[in-house]
Each structure stands twice: as structure tokens, then as C-alpha cells.
Amino acid sequence: MSSPQSQSDQSLLTAIRGSFLDFVDDPFYVAEEDSARYVPDGLLVLEAGKIKAFGDYAELQGKYRDVPTTAYAERLIMPGFIDTHIHYPQTEMIAAYGEQLLEWLDQYVFPTEGKFQDKAYAEKVAEVFLDQLLSNGTTTALVFAAVFPQSVEAFFEAAERRNLCMIAGKVMMDRNAPDYLCDTAESSYQETKDLIQRWHKKGRLRYAVTPRFAITSTDEQLQKAGELLKEFPDVYMHTHISENVNEVAWVKELFPTCKGYLDVYDQAGLVKERCVFAHGVHLTDGEFQRLSEAGSAIAFCPTSNLFLGSGLFKIEQAKSADYPVKVGLGTDVGGGTSFSILQTANEAYKVAQLRQQKLSPFKALFLATLGGARALCLEETLGNFEIGKDADFIVLDPRSTPLMAFRNAPATPATLSALADRIFSLMMMGDDRAVQSTYILGKLIYER
Ligand code: GUN
Ligand code: ZN
């Protein structure tokens, strides 16, 4: 321990002391006490942006006594939240009145996305968007850009400057949208390929092939998307599915020979691992089974599904033991009404209530962290405090408003059941005000 080598190693360490909560398993399938890991007085030791050690302060303090340590009293430290579906160009038109999906796209979304042809404009919005994610405790997201390649460039450049782990892609859409937003099957293939070659796996960035949805892509374009997944087997695929009943009916008309909505994507080779489908409100039993077999994931977007009147996602079916599907939470801004994953969990709970189901705070916060990491195939590096993972984490304040402070006593919960009550109130009442600090690769990059 006292060799010169280990002394110089220790000089590179920093540490965080406080109460920690993360997940080591999935509470939909394993008892909550075995899946949630609560350390009321813990120490997280960081080295070069990664987790070097994690455990009880009493056990680790001897070994790391001289390491500079930041202590957070009366706070809860968690892995950074993961947003598995969001649109950065829609930041400015969040909360647009009065329409459901197809009319809302025509009236609000398409005109807004047209502005992203201008790279300087895209750069400005990318900064606002990333500021919003970080101030809401979201450290990783799967992101729709716009149809213009420069909108992806602007986003990745901004994410790279902040050392963020982000997945994004250029929208592919070659029909049923205004001309100024349409590419072609061939141009979308070429532009996507160029962007993959430039950005996929550049540092912490990853590329997602991003056909908007079956309505705005010809079969030829979907086939091209499938070709890209074959050529680049470790890129992602990101799209929408079965969000709205009129959308589902139109897909049936557009693809009369397909067995159903998912089959449209399946026939193009777009249903496999690393494929993430947003919404899935109206999926059939057979479609849930197929997603399970394929290892694909669903982004559950409750604020959006309520705001656009799309319907109630069947979380208990997606997380069934027989046909388990990977699920993460998605804000779906600007169809969603908040950047906050806490507020998204709040609405997820209410969606479950309307279906006579219970979404416990542990289940919801699993979806927000390790569940999201698994949905995005990022669990090797993100999602909890396992040693060796990237040190992206957040400091939450369960007493961040006068009412929350009145409801929650200052004392640190001693047991998992006391913690359950506190984190449930945090997810129902908390928002960006509850996010005190956000750390990326062990560095404080946002403080309220
Ligand atoms: N389906 C196709 N495009 C979109 C979009 O931008 N937002 C949502 N919520 N659904 C979509
Ligand atoms: Zn969306």
C-alpha cells in the first residue's frame, strides 16, 4: 500500500461521500431488496473518469483516507438518468396545443424541424438542449436530430465538447412530409453512412440509423436502413412504432402485405438487438413476443403518450416473465412535456394506475438508470456504480421544494422501506429543482 507506485496512483483519485442508490438487477424479475443497492453512508472513489471503488464509508475510509472527498449530506446520489427517446430539434416547440400525433406533426413539428437546415441555428438549440438534459440529471440519451446531416453534426459536436455519452442520428424520411424535409432512399443511405463513419464510436458518441416511422419512409428507404445495419453491425436503430390508432391504421394501408406494424420494420431487417422503438402503445401480443425474441427495446414515453392522447402503455406486458422486453423511459420532448426523468416516472406511475397496475419507485428508478442502460446496450459502461464503469452520476435533493422539505424529514432513511417512501415522493414531486449536481466522467459539470 505504501509503495511509491500506489502513492502516486492515490494522488489521482477523488471521492464522493453520501447516500447512494443504484440497481444491480432488475426489480421486475428479482425482489426489490436484491435488486436495489442502498448505501446510507457510502464512498464512491473515482479515477480517470471511472469508478475505482464503491461501498460503505466505514469499510473504505481507511484505504482512501487521504483522497480529496466531497461530502453530500441529506442527499441521494444515483447513476445519471438515461433518456431512451427524445428529439433535440423539438426543444423549442414543447407543449404545442390541441392536436394528436399526425396533425401535431404537420402543424408544429415539421415546420420547426425545417429550421435545422441552418447549422448555426442547430448549434444554438443543441446547447440549450444539452443544458436542459444535464440540469434534469440526464447524462445519456438516444436522440432524434432532424433530416439535415448538419443537424447531427451540430449535436455531436456539442455533446463531444461536454464529454457526454450520446446516441443520435439523422432522420430518414422520403414521403408523407413536406418537400423541404424529405430526403430520398439513396441520399439518406449515403448521408447516414457518412455520418456513421465520422461519428460512430468517436469517444463516447454512438450512431443510430433513424427512420422517422413507417409512414414517412418508403419500403425502399427502410430496406436501405436495414442495409446500413448489416454493414455496421454495432450501430443502433431508432424509430417510432404503434403510438397512435390513426397512425397504425395508415401503416396498414401503406404496407398492405405486411402482417402488422412491427412486421414492416422486421421485413427490412430492423428488428434486432440495438433497435429501439419509441411508444409501442398499441402493440399486439405477437409483437411484444417478437420484440422479446429479437432483443429489441421499447422506450416508454408516458408524458408524451398522455399529452398527445396516444394511450396507456402496457408496462406489465412488456416486462412479463414469459416474453421480457427491454424497456427504458423516454421523455419524447417535444411530444413529451418535460425533460425531467423524475416527472416522466411520475406519469409512468399514473399510467400504470389507470391500468390497475403498480409501478414501484424502485422499478421506476431502475427503468431510469440500469434499465435504460440495458435498453441501449450500454450496461457494460453505464447504469450503476459497478467498479470500472464510467462515473456519470447525479446528486438529488429529496427536500428541494418547501413542500418536499415539509414532507421529508432531514434524517437519512435507515432502511430500504423508509427509502422507498422518500424516493416515491421524489419521483412524484421532484423535477429539475431536485437535481443539485450532475457529474460526467467524475467531473462536476452542472450545479444548481
Ligand atoms: N412519430 C413520428 N414522428 C414523431 C415525432 O416526432 N414525435 C412523436 N411523438 N411521434 C412521432
Ligand atoms: Zn418521438
Side-chain angles (χ1 to χ4, degrees):
M1 264 313 297
S2 58
S3 72
Q5 179 61 42
S6 72
Q7 271 171 7
S8 72
D9 281 349
Q10 283 238 341
S11 74
L12 299 173
L13 305 182
T14 57
I16 306 284
R17 182 181 178 185
S19 297
F20 292 84
L21 172 66
D22 73 347
F23 293 85
V24 293
D25 215 327
D26 185 337
F28 286 88
Y29 307 114
V30 172
E32 291 188 335
E33 55 273 26
D34 298 325
S35 51
R37 173 166 58 176
Y38 177 48
V39 186
D41 183 12
L43 193 72
L44 183 70
V45 183
L46 312 169
E47 180 180 48
K50 296 203 186 297
I51 296 166
K52 165 92 174 167
F54 174 58
D56 285 322
Y57 177 76
E59 279 171 29
L60 292 175
Q61 62 146 338
K63 187 164 177 189
Y64 298 106
R65 183 178 302 115
D66 299 328
V67 171
T69 299
T70 305
Y72 290 101
E74 297 171 19
R75 299 290 183 269
L76 183 68
I77 304 166
M78 288 195 66
F81 293 142
I82 295 181
D83 188 336
T84 60
H85 178 67
I86 188 165
H87 301 251
Y88 100 81
Q90 295 176 18
T91 303
E92 66 194 76
M93 43 81 36
I94 187 170
Y97 174 75
E99 303 300 340
Q100 297 211 348
L101 177 65
L102 299 174
E103 297 74 23
W104 172 82
L105 285 171
D106 286 337
Q107 193 169 324
Y108 298 111
V109 171
F110 293 155
T112 305
E113 292 194 3
K115 299 188 200 174
F116 287 74
Q117 183 160 20
D118 175 355
K119 178 151 186 221
Y121 189 76
E123 283 166 353
K124 269 191 219 149
V125 177
E127 296 295 342
V128 174
F129 174 83
L130 292 175
D131 284 345
Q132 281 299 315
L133 286 186
L134 294 169
S135 63
N136 279 281
T138 298
T139 49
T140 286
L142 174 59
V143 181
F144 262 68
V147 73
F148 312 105
Q150 58 271 33
S151 71
V152 180
E153 299 278 348
F155 178 75
F156 277 143
E157 284 163 10
E160 189 178 40
R161 281 194 291 275
R162 300 183 197 216
N163 283 322
L164 301 175
C165 175
M166 290 284 158
I167 312 171
K170 172 203 123 64
V171 173
M172 303 167 76
M173 50 196 301
D174 65 348
R175 65 167 165 177
N176 294 321
D179 288 347
Y180 61 84
L181 278 186
C182 283
D183 52 18
T184 67
E186 186 53 36
S187 73
S188 68
Y189 170 85
Q190 271 311 330
E191 288 171 351
T192 298
K193 189 166 180 163
D194 290 349
L195 287 165
I196 292 171
Q197 285 167 338
R198 200 149 47 248
W199 291 103
H200 184 57
K201 292 197 159 169
K202 183 154 190 246
R204 307 186 80 200
L205 306 175
R206 302 287 182 268
Y207 197 87
V209 173
T210 307
R212 175 166 225 120
F213 64 160
I215 287 174
T216 48
S217 286
T218 57
D219 189 46
E220 191 189 355
Q221 183 169 60
L222 296 176
Q223 298 293 336
K224 288 282 181 195
E227 271 179 45
L228 287 162
L229 295 194
K230 280 208 192 102
E231 283 176 61
F232 302 96
D234 62 357
V235 300
Y236 292 82
M237 198 286 301
H238 184 197
T239 191
H240 298 90
I241 194 167
S242 298
E243 174 178 3
N244 165 289
V245 287
N246 295 335
E247 171 208 13
V248 175
W250 194 2
V251 170
K252 216 173 186 175
E253 278 176 33
L254 291 170
F255 296 90
T257 62
C258 282
K259 280 186 289 181
Y261 199 155
L262 184 66
D263 193 45
V264 172
Y265 295 133
D266 218 350
Q267 294 206 10
L270 303 178
V271 183
K272 42 187 167 178
E273 270 218 313
R274 288 176 203 279
C275 296
V276 182
F277 296 89
H279 305 287
V281 171
H282 305 286
L283 290 170
T284 64
D285 296 353
E287 288 174 328
F288 275 112
Q289 281 186 28
R290 174 70 191 121
L291 289 169
S292 173
E293 282 163 17
S296 301
I298 301 175
F300 175 19
C301 305
T303 80
S304 172
N305 294 341
L306 294 171
F307 178 70
L308 292 174
S310 302
L312 306 176
F313 179 64
K314 298 171 192 156
I315 181 72
E316 78 290 352
Q317 184 168 8
K319 298 293 291 182
S320 79
D322 290 344
Y323 298 103
V325 181
K326 294 189 266 187
V327 177
L329 291 176
T331 60
D332 192 32
V333 165
T337 50
S338 172
F339 275 83
S340 170
I341 287 287
L342 292 172
Q343 278 307 293
T344 305
N346 164 356
E347 299 298 305
Y349 175 80
K350 294 170 187 168
V351 167
Q353 278 281 43
L354 285 166
R355 306 194 63 263
Q356 322 302 323
Q357 301 290 322
K358 287 183 190 173
L359 182 67
S360 78
F362 291 113
K363 287 178 176 164
L365 291 174
F366 166 81
L367 295 178
T369 56
L370 186 61
R374 288 182 176 176
L376 300 185
C377 300
L378 291 171
E379 70 271 30
E380 296 289 306
T381 49
L382 293 174
N384 63 17
F385 295 122
E386 292 291 290
I387 290 166
K389 287 196 179 183
D390 293 349
D392 290 357
F393 58 91
I394 57 179
V395 181
L396 296 168
D397 179 4
R399 308 180 73 238
S400 57
T401 68
L403 183 58
M404 289 167 81
F406 183 63
R407 187 198 186 281
N408 292 322
T412 299
T415 63
L416 207 61
S417 65
L419 178 70
D421 175 67
R422 172 166 302 221
I423 60 175
F424 183 62
S425 76
L426 178 63
M427 95 184 204
M428 298 312 293
M429 303 169 77
D431 51 28
D432 53 337
R433 293 167 293 181
V435 178
Q436 179 175 324
S437 310
T438 301
Y439 284 77
I440 296 294
L441 295 180
K443 293 216 166 68
L444 178 67
I445 78 161
Y446 166 78
E447 193 154 43
R448 192 167 127 78

